[in-house]
Amino acid sequence: MNLERLPNEEKLTLCRKYYFGNVYNVCVWGFAFLPFLWLVNVVWFFKEAFVKPTYTEQLQIKTYVKCSGLGFLLWVAVLTTWITIFQHFRAEWGEVGDYLSFTIPLGIP
Amino acid sequence: MGLESSKWAIIFLVCWLYKNVSCNSVEQKIYVELNNTVPCVRLLNATHQIGCQSSISGDTGVIHVLESEEDLEWPLSKGPNPPYMVLLESSLFTRSIMMKMKNESNRVAGVAVVVPNTSPPEFSPHTTCPNENTGVYSDNYGPNLAHCNTTVWNPRGNGLSYEEFDFPVFSLKEDNETEFIKQCYLDHNRAVNGSAPQYPLCAMQLFSHMHAVTNTPTCMRRNDINFSINPEMVCDPLGDYNVWGSIRPYNDTVFGHKENESVVIAAARLDSRAFFWEVSTGAEGSVSGFVTLLAAAQALREVTHEAPPTRNILFAFFQGETFDYIGSSRMVYDMENGKFVIDLDNIHSVLEIGQVALHSGNNLFLHSDPVSRRNNTVNDVVKNLVNNLQSSTAGLGFLLVEPNVSQPLPPSSLQRFLRAQPIPGIVLADHESAFNNRYYESFYDNAANLNLTYPSDLSPEEQLEFVTHTAESLTDVATVVARALYKQAGGDESRVNTIKADPKIVTQMLYGFLVSSNNSWFQAVMAPELKNILKPSPPEYYVGVAMSSTPTRLVQYLLANLTGAATNLTQSQCQKPDELPNESRQMYSYLWVQGIVPPNSTERDSFCVRASVRLTKAVSPAFELGEYASKDYSTWTESRWKFIKARIFLVASRDLEMLTLGVGVAVLFTSLLVTYFISTKADVLFSSTREPASAAY
């Protein structure tokens, strides 16, 4: 979808949808904590929010982009910590580690 | 018409060319597959893992043929092209060399051992004190006798089978393939005058990736996990079936204690192991014992029909005894829990046949447990059994001697019975203290270890019938055992001297179990659907996980044929004997066997054998109870794997590989650039000559 051709209110609605995570109006869970949607939001609307010359809806778009960016970074930090800890200690945790795993590698502890 | 015929001519030509064209796979030009290899696999118990492991995509190493122990410096420190794949002659397959390689395992990719046809002077990869933690001697029972404090049973043991290696170890036979490997080494890998050998070098790749890790509780837990994406079984418990038979049949559906029933148990073990997977011949370790017991059972058949003894005699053949007494611990467990036809209280005494084929000095020894003999009742029964045994050797040329009273029992199934209850018992063996067997639980414990030699000009059928010295001496032992059992069971004293084991049967069994199982006698006693388990080589005595081991089946059918009766039943009656008035499947088992081929025909004379021979499951009670970390029962499991193979090929230097990769990547990027430029300047490069302005309108 080419953002160039959309009118500004539509851009705002889109940005909001991606921020709240209820694209396609499936349901209004809101704040679905979806890191990838937030990443898409940041990358897609970055030019719109910070580079383009000002227009009315740009302030709200800026807020959404900033919040999405923060949320995404938070998620990355949490996930990276958890993944590092799990991969390092899974073998030592024995039973707990096995029950937390979806697929257990063969032949290595 | 001309077109038609030329079309047909072309079609024929193409078909003919197609037939004559062959294709060559690049893979076949690079790799030479090694076919006669045997890997070492991973086994796990409650606390440890033993055996060998390769990485999932195989371990590759530059071949180095080891010449001496000092030559180990080359692969371990001096050699310039690590990792190395070390090729060992069997004389160098020792504990010190293997442990040195284990410590430097980042430079050793794997080991290949060449197993010769002649045996070294001695070699036993088992531990010095077999089954020391699951026997009867512990800190509570005879603490000064536990852990081989008084007698070391297997002093030659180097314990290699119970070490863990994280590189693969394969065995190669001494044949053309091994010569090819050594030639490849001499052509490419030899260091000339101290300088490093030049690439390309000859390398070997070994695949034996094992799925299970750590120990049995871990791998059984991983077997059971349900919600993982791809549930995979990673290990299986070791186990098979025990074979038992009795003089008087028991009803197979009535379990537990039987009133006024006193039984003498005659036991032997069926299995054996070696360092490598499944190649176990166990000639002295197990075959000598169970062949003697089968011969004794046959010797007792007639006299027990004519003059039945007071007590019943139960012949038990235990599987899995090598791995912490799997079979006997299961039978004792079943007896304790009322799942067997008799109870521990029904047992009068036990006579176990241990290793009996190597008696030097013409004496056999009667081992007993000194701790249980402190009880007077038990001591009296044991003394009585000793007397019965010693008096049965009249006229046979050897003596039965009791060793020093304070010596413990050797590793034997009787120890598991004693763990449950003080039962009087004797283990018959050819060694007074340490084993006479120089190759205990190794792949050299074969027919040559028993001096089983046949004159060279005999055909296989003649070899089957030829009575060897080994067969004669085992026949004498079987006669003694049969007579002693008859006396012990309270039989008629006057008939004892008529009991004689048949040397012909013993020599046929020795041939079938140690030289070639596909002989005419074994074919005659087996069932038609099982004849494929008979092979031109001796059977493998490793207990395995598939519950279908060859020795179990052979012993089952032999015991049935030797102690049972041939009947007139037809094949369909043999499968459903309960329809007949006098036959009952609860009391007997009915086996349809192939029979011999009569001289003038090609059809076999098959018939139905009725015998009181049964199979009972021999899987460790630890797996029934779910106690995978049990200290009381065997917890051995064998890992699973996807495929095992070995191949050799020439390998190039790392630098050349990196250069090739670099050039390839460079060519890729250059072509991308060139394509990009061409596409941007396409209109300049590919402009066609301008058409004259066709503005003619």
Side-chain angles (χ1 to χ4, degrees), chain A residues 29-92:
Chain A
W29 285 104
F31 267 88
F33 293 103
L34 301 169
F36 283 116
L37 279 188
W38 285 343
L39 178 66
V40 165
N41 220 7
V42 166
V43 169
W44 208 11
F45 286 97
F46 191 77
K47 251 201 200 160
E48 292 293 322
F50 298 105
V51 173
K52 283 253 172 79
T54 341
Y55 52 91
T56 28
E57 292 84 356
Q58 199 192 40
L59 195 56
Q60 286 181 298
I61 292 185
K62 240 194 229 180
T63 354
Y64 283 132
V65 170
K66 277 196 209 154
C67 290
S68 302
L70 277 172
F72 174 70
L73 284 173
L74 188 65
W75 253 109
V76 166
V78 167
L79 275 181
T80 321
T81 335
W82 167 244
I83 289 175
T84 329
I85 294 180
F86 185 69
Q87 294 291 30
H88 203 253
F89 289 111
R90 182 186 56 82
E92 289 164 25

Side-chain angles (χ1 to χ4, degrees), chain B residues 290-311:
Chain B
F290 73 74
V291 162
T292 311
L293 192 56
L294 281 171
Q298 191 271 334
L300 281 172
R301 170 158 101 178
E302 237 182 78
V303 71
T304 48
H305 277 154
E306 292 167 11
T310 357
R311 300 191 184 102

Side-chain angles (χ1 to χ4, degrees), chain A residues 1-6 10-11 14 18 24 44-45:
Chain A
M1 189 192 276
N2 197 344
L3 277 185
E4 316 276 325
R5 302 212 189 109
L6 283 181
E10 300 233 357
K11 286 188 212 168
L14 209 53
Y18 269 82
Y24 307 122
W44 208 11
F45 286 97

Side-chain angles (χ1 to χ4, degrees), chain B residues 73-362:
Chain B
E73 275 186 352
W74 182 263
L76 294 187
S77 46
K78 278 197 339 211
N81 322 105
Y84 283 92
M85 187 68 69
V86 181
L87 196 75
L88 293 177
E89 299 291 332
S90 68
S91 54
L92 292 169
F93 186 46
T94 60
R95 187 180 172 86
S96 65
I97 290 185
M98 290 301 287
M99 297 312 275
K100 278 191 196 156
M101 286 200 281
K102 178 178 164 169
N103 288 336
E104 289 283 334
S105 59
N106 53 338
R107 281 186 63 111
V108 175
V111 175
V113 179
V114 180
V115 174
N117 295 329
T118 55
S119 313
E122 63 181 37
F123 179 75
S124 170
H126 208 78
T127 49
T128 50
C129 198
N131 291 345
E132 63 182 305
N133 294 322
T134 40
V136 68
Y137 300 107
S138 64
D139 294 332
N140 300 331
Y141 189 103
N144 54 323
L145 303 170
H147 303 296
C148 294
N149 272 336
T150 41
T151 321
V152 178
W153 296 109
N154 187 25
R156 302 172 183 95
N158 56 24
L160 274 179
S161 290
Y162 289 84
E163 290 289 336
E164 183 197 340
F165 298 103
D166 55 8
F167 47 76
V169 181
F170 275 52
S171 88
L172 305 168
K173 289 207 192 66
E174 227 176 30
D175 57 5
N176 292 342
E177 274 184 1
T178 317
E179 279 312 306
F180 180 71
I181 297 174
K182 288 188 186 159
Q183 193 57 43
C184 187
Y185 166 75
L186 290 170
D187 290 338
H188 298 273
N189 293 10
R190 279 285 234 182
V192 183
N193 289 341
S195 67
Q198 292 296 320
Y199 276 100
L201 297 173
C202 200
M204 177 153 43
Q205 186 173 31
L206 300 177
F207 296 80
S208 69
H209 179 69
M210 300 288 135
H211 291 176
V213 259
T214 324
N215 53 31
T216 296
T218 310
C219 87
M220 295 303 283
R221 182 180 72 225
R222 289 185 186 182
N223 274 350
D224 287 336
I225 289 186
N226 297 348
F227 62 76
S228 101
I229 300 182
N230 51 341
E232 278 214 37
M233 298 285 285
V234 290
C235 68
D236 301 291
L238 288 178
D240 193 43
Y241 291 96
N242 291 328
V243 181
W244 70 267
S246 54
I247 306 270
R248 288 201 299 266
Y250 284 115
N251 189 332
D252 201 30
T253 51
V254 177
F255 296 139
H257 186 78
K258 296 226 159 32
E259 283 301 322
N260 295 337
E261 182 81 15
S262 179
V263 181
V264 177
I265 295 190
R269 77 176 227 208
L270 278 178
D271 74 314
S272 168
R273 72 163 299 196
F275 180 79
F276 297 104
W277 181 59
E278 242 194 10
V279 282
S280 43
T281 42
E284 158 78 341
S286 46
V287 175
S288 63
F290 73 74
V291 162
T292 311
L293 192 56
L294 281 171
Q298 191 271 334
L300 281 172
R301 170 158 101 178
E302 237 182 78
V303 71
T304 48
H305 277 154
E306 292 167 11
T310 357
R311 300 191 184 102
N312 201 352
I313 304 177
L314 191 136
F315 302 101
F317 298 86
F318 295 117
Q319 256 294 14
E321 297 297 277
T322 319
F323 291 101
D324 289 336
Y325 306 119
I326 297 178
S328 53
S329 66
R330 180 55 187 261
M331 184 171 273
V332 171
Y333 172 81
D334 285 344
M335 285 182 182
E336 281 175 325
N337 292 299
K339 292 190 196 146
F340 193 64
V341 294
I342 56 171
D343 198 351
L344 283 169
D345 297 319
N346 289 122
I347 303 180
H348 174 261
S349 48
V350 175
L351 172 62
E352 180 168 343
I353 324 285
Q355 307 179 66
V356 288
L358 289 180
H359 47 129
S360 52
N362 289 329

Side-chain angles (χ1 to χ4, degrees), chain A residues 87-100:
Chain A
Q87 294 291 30
H88 203 253
F89 289 111
R90 182 186 56 82
E92 289 164 25
W93 285 346
E95 205 172 332
V96 175
D98 284 349
Y99 284 132
L100 283 177

